């Protein structure tokens, strides 16, 4: 069976770009340089594909693979001939390129390949072009006495036709009469797609880690802990830089107070650094230990030869050590630090677990924990392969120049605006922290449930940028209310642009996004600002707070519906209505989550509201103090983590469970849970939400002229 062609056009686009970038100027094209446009392109891609096939099978360098290309006049059906002395092996390649991913291998192609094979067997080297003849001469001894592989390289998904396979099989039978030395291998579009992604990944890091005062952790997992010199750690960073932290949640954050203190300790009190620093955690895919003593290994140092290295905890320490060694190497060289080395044996899932577990501390933000989510790694790989754009995922990584790529933060904002539900734009306007929520209703889950295509990623970001620019240009020249709409409503305006200009073609590479969307934005933004301002005033009155309107998911949905209906119907901005409607207040939990009123992990305490409840619950609560304790989680459906069982609940759901567990027979059917959980002595969750409502209602209208 051939490989599935479901993603073939996307694979073709990515392979084509990588072939151009990798082999342009490397593969000899002197005999086809006079061709122009598509005539040159197709010939070049065929040669580059043959070289990539050699690289995949032989695992050789780009330059070596390019040297074996013979494609051209008198190649005799062999686009590459690769004699490999180290492995005593010869590769004979025929490559078929297709822009649509539909390349096939028919009986004529098979006959041409076998004909070339026979010419080598019969030593008819002068019938090949000069390069092919020389390579055929080198390859023949391996074909006759060692081993050879016929490589059929197809930018397609369909197996060679049965007649073609029969021609190849007959030839193999002839050549293998006196020993099975020749085989055939077929490479499809998916193989080349996999290879270009492998080529884009950084080379695995290999280190020798010299440990003092070490021990080996007992158990099923191979792990060592010990002491390493600061000088060694600095050398690692100088050699490999940020690649050391490939599987860390964060890259080094640069100049921060914490990092400055680490560096100061290294230079001013290096002998105490081991005692004052948490050290680093390193994972690897393979590990070999070489002890300095056979009789008493732990009395002497040991050297760990580790491969596939990533430092998953301690990135800030490593960067600070390197800086201190640079600034005052004589002092810092006296420092040592603790290191834990864990062999994951190539288990990527376990590696992610180690990285996440090692970084569970208050300084790690919710956004950091999603940096290793597979969807973001896939976006990064495919955006780079298909559009040659960078995707900066981790905090601390250098931000890409606007024309060269985007960040996770910018993409999340763009996808929030693109989402068909205007509530996502409201969440973003309220706090960008809302974009990292997970769970069935969390924004991150909704926005990244499926990997967006590279076109969707880049076009949504360009649209957000263009909209922001147009809104900024407009804002300063408007009256008070319209200026406030431009200042605070940028995300909803971008959402309306996506909806009105019809983003259904955003994934189509052939759709002219620039002319159909981006170029129309500057003229549309002023109209959208006027319509939004009108509808806010119509709905909420003359003293409506423009800013807070864009923080409410329900209000944004209502505004989007009204504005889009006006645009679809060609309706002019109507006169202001004589009656106004009072805005519906958001529920308690969503408003607390959206406004980020409390920090993750803030303590909560259960308080009974009336005498019957206090009497019914007193004895049960007294049995275990943890029953009345909980902590806050910024989760819009289950924001309470109960200390008693370490499970998450909704406020009312937990109160109902507690009443039932306490065997309160006359308990009410329903309850107001947010009024019973208190983050402070005198304020419940419900009180906090009411205070926000009151401040917004009584606040001065900052948009009023």
């Amino acid at each position: 069976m051939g490989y599935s062609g479901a993603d073939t056009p996307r694979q073709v686009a990515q392979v084509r770009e990588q072939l151009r970038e990798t082999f342009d100027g490397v593969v000899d094209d002197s005999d086809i340089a006079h061709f122009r446009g598509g005539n040159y392109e197709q010939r070049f891609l065929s040669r580059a594909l043959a070289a990539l096939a050699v690289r995949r099978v032989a695992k050789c360098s780009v330059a070596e693979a390019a040297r074996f290309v013979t494609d051209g006049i008198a190649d005799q059906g062999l686009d590459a001939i690769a004699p490999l002395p180290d492995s005593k092996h010869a590769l004979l390649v025929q490559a078929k390129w297709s822009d649509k991913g539909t390349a096939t291998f028919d009986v004529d192609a098979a006959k041409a390949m076998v004909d070339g094979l026979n010419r080598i067997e019969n030593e008819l080297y002068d019938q090949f072009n000069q390069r092919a003849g020389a390579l055929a001469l080198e390859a023949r001894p391996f074909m006759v006495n060692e081993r050879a592989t016929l490589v059929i390289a197809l930018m397609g998904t369909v197996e060679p036709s049965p007649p073609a396979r029969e021609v190849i099989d007959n030839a193999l039978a002839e050549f293998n009469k006196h020993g099975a030395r020749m085989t055939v291998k077929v490479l499809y579009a998916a193989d080349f797609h996999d290879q270009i992604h492998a080529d884009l990944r950084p080379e695995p890091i290999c280190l020798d880690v010299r440990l003092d005062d070490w021990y080996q952790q007992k158990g099923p997992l191979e792990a060592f802990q010990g002491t390493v010199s600061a000088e060694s750690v600095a050398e690692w960073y100088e050699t490999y830089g940020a690649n050391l932290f490939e599987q860390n949640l964060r890259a080094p954050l640069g100049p921060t107070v914490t990092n400055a203190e680490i560096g100061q300790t290294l230079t001013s009190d290096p002998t105490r650094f081991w005692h004052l620093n948490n050290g680093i955690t390193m994972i690897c895919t393979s590990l070999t230990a070489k002890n300095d003593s056979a009789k008493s290994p732990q009395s002497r140092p040991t050297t760990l030869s580790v491969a596939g290295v990533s430092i998953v905890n301690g990135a800030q320490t490593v960067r600070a050590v390197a800086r201190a060694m640079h600034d005052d190497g004589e002092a810092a060289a006296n420092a040592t630090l603790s290191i834990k080395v864990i062999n994951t044996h190539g288990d990527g899932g376990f590696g992610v677990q180690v990285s996440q577990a090692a970084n569970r501390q208050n300084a790690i933000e919710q956004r950091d924990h999603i940096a290793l989510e597979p969807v973001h790694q896939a976006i990064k790989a495919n955006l780079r392969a298909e559009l040659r754009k960078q995707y900066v995922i981790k905090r601390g990584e250098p931000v890409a120049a606007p024309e060269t790529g985007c960040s996770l933060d910018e993409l999340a904002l763009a996808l929030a605006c693109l989402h068909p539900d205007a509530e996502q734009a409201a969440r973003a306007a309220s706090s960008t922290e809302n974009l990292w929520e997970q769970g069935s209703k969390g924004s991150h889950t909704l926005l990244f449930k499926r990997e967006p295509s590279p076109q969707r990623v880049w076009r949504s970001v360009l649209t957000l940028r263009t909209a922001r620019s147009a809104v900024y240009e407009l804002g300063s020249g408007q009256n008070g209310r319209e200026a406030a709409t431009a200042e605070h409503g940028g995300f909803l305006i971008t959402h309306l642009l996506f909806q009105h200009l019809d983003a259904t073609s955003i994934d189509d590479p052939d759709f002219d996004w620039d002319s159909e969307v981006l170029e129309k934005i500057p003229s549309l933004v002023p109209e959208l600002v006027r319509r939004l301002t009108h509808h806010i005033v119509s709905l909420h009155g003359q003293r409506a707070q423009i800013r807070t309107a864009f923080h409410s998911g329900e209000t944004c949905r209502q505004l989007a519906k009204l504005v889009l209906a006006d645009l679809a119907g060609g309706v002019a901005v109507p006169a202001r209505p004589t009656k106004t409607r009072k805005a519906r207040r958001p529920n308690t939990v969503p408003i607390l989550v959206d406004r980020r009123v409390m920090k993750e992990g803030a303590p909560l305490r259960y308080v009974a509201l009336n005498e019957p409840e206090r009497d019914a619950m007193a004895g049960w609560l007294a049995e275990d103090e943890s029953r009345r304790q909980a902590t806050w989680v910024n989760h819009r459906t289950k924001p309470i983590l109960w200390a008693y069982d370490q499970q998450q609940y909704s406020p009312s759901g937990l109160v109902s469970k507690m009443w039932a567990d306490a065997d309160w027979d006359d308990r009410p059917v329903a309850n107001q849970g947010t009024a019973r959980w208190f983050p402070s002595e005198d304020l419940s969750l419900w009180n906090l939400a009411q205070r926000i409502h009151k401040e917004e209602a009584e606040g001065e209208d900052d948009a009023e002229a």
Side-chain angles (χ1 to χ4, degrees), residues 87-163:
S87 58
K88 297 182 178 180
H89 186 198
L91 304 181
L92 308 163
V93 182
Q94 185 174 126
K96 299 291 184 183
W97 173 264
S98 166
D99 285 333
K100 297 181 179 179
T102 56
T104 58
F105 187 76
D106 59 19
V107 68
D108 290 337
K111 289 178 178 179
M113 192 174 199
V114 171
D115 182 58
L117 193 62
N118 288 326
R119 290 173 194 257
I120 297 176
E121 165 67 14
N122 295 322
E123 302 182 80
L124 301 176
Y125 307 122
D126 59 343
Q127 295 182 8
F128 289 86
N129 62 45
Q130 185 175 1
R131 181 193 294 270
L135 291 171
L137 177 62
E138 290 183 54
R140 188 177 184 279
F142 303 131
M143 292 170 51
V144 174
N145 299 307
E146 303 296 341
R147 61 193 183 100
T149 301
L150 304 183
V151 181
I152 301 169
L154 302 176
M155 184 46 66
T157 61
V158 180
E159 284 185 325
S161 68

Side-chain angles (χ1 to χ4, degrees), residues 27 34 50 121 142 166 286-287 319 336 377-378 385 392 400 418 425 431 486 488 594 596 610 622 650:
V27 166
H34 61 282
E121 165 67 14
F142 303 131
E166 184 178 352
S286 66
L287 181 156
R319 178 65 182 87
T336 61
Q377 302 303 317
V392 177
L418 175 63
S431 172
H488 301 295
D594 286 341
R596 298 285 154 169
N610 51 55
S650 68

